[in-house]
Amino acid sequence: GESVGLHLPTLSVQEGDNSIINCAYSNSASDYFIWYKQESGKGPQFIIDIRSNMDKRQGQRVTVLLNKTVKHLSLQIAATQPGDSAVYFCAENNSGTYKYIFGTGTRLKVLA
Amino acid sequence: EAGVTQFPSHSVIEKGQTVTLRCDPISGHDNLYWYRRVMGKEIKFLLHFVKESKQDESGMPNNRFLAERTGGTYSTLKVQPAELEDSGVYFCASSQDWVKNIQYFGAGTRLSVL
């Protein structure tokens, strides 16, 4: 897949356990944050987003937490399943511009 | 509804040759973006179109790269002449509006320059 050669941090989690993927963002002016999931051979798929006026947002089995004080974002996946195995990217955006700034990504491996 | 589609999925060319990548955004999306990830690095922004106009091309690495979006529908990204360091995966994304700027990505084109 396209991630061959990339030395990504890897998180290995037992199936059924909860996963927490962390991301540090760089720009204190960023006010919109997104998590993407990328499976092998596919493009990044939107998972969940959060605006800077919130510190927590929940989706289906996923929760995003935002700590603006330390510029930290996390993605929590409940009851991790084999289909959750992928590379996860956080992205930040300043609503004054359309460009996303991506983190380097974390590879999630779900162990059976 | 079809997602963002990119063609080709993989291109292998020799240094000095020309390659043209194509992106078809989601129908009705005025905003179209190009990003790329070179080996070992993060996904980086190249440029942004609003309809047929280039809104921000601050990420384009040099003048060997030319992006067009004639008619405001599909977009092409031409690399001429290609260099070894251009190898990587080129992603296209589109979004509907700026209020909720969720960008939807295509599967990417893997470019290998030999």
Side-chain angles (χ1 to χ4, degrees), chain B residues 32-78:
Chain B
L32 186 149
Y33 315 83
W34 284 98
Y35 292 82
R36 76 171 179 177
R37 182 163 74 196
V38 296
M39 293 296 273
K41 301 287 180 71
E42 65 273 19
I43 299 172
K44 286 200 169 176
F45 170 84
L46 295 178
L47 89 160
H48 166 222
F49 284 99
V50 178
K51 296 185 180 178
E52 69 276 6
S53 299
K54 290 176 187 173
Q55 192 74 14
D56 180 353
E57 51 184 328
S58 61
M60 294 288 265
N62 52 59
N63 60 9
R64 295 184 295 102
F65 289 75
L66 175 64
E68 294 181 318
R69 193 183 182 196
T70 308
T73 54
Y74 72 90
S75 175
T76 58
L77 179 65
K78 181 191 288 188

Side-chain angles (χ1 to χ4, degrees), chain A residues 3-110:
Chain A
S3 295
V4 170
L6 287 174
H7 298 287
L8 297 171
T10 299
L11 174 67
S12 296
V13 175
Q14 206 68 36
E15 182 179 355
D17 287 352
N18 297 335
S19 303
I20 299 176
I21 300 171
N22 296 303
C23 177
Y25 64 92
S26 58
N27 186 354
S28 56
S30 293
D31 56 6
Y32 179 61
F33 305 89
I34 316 97
W35 279 100
Y36 281 93
K37 171 186 180 183
Q38 186 178 14
E39 297 172 279
S40 183
K42 297 183 179 180
Q45 300 169 266
F46 171 84
I47 303 174
I48 191 167
D49 59 354
I50 188 168
R51 293 210 172 270
S52 58
N53 60 351
M54 302 173 69
D55 52 23
K56 180 179 179 179
R57 189 156 189 243
Q58 288 186 288
Q60 188 176 18
R61 275 201 313 120
V62 294
T63 300
V64 56
L65 299 178
L66 174 62
N67 185 331
K68 294 181 288 293
T69 304
V70 294
K71 292 192 286 186
H72 184 267
L73 197 64
S74 69
L75 177 71
Q76 300 178 0
I77 305 174
T80 312
Q81 302 169 0
D84 295 327
S85 292
V87 177
Y88 289 80
F89 294 96
C90 66
E92 58 182 297
N93 173 249
N94 179 329
S95 55
T97 172
Y98 291 96
K99 74 172 84 169
Y100 284 4
I101 299 172
F102 281 86
T104 51
T106 297
R107 189 185 307 278
L108 176 65
K109 287 187 178 178
V110 181

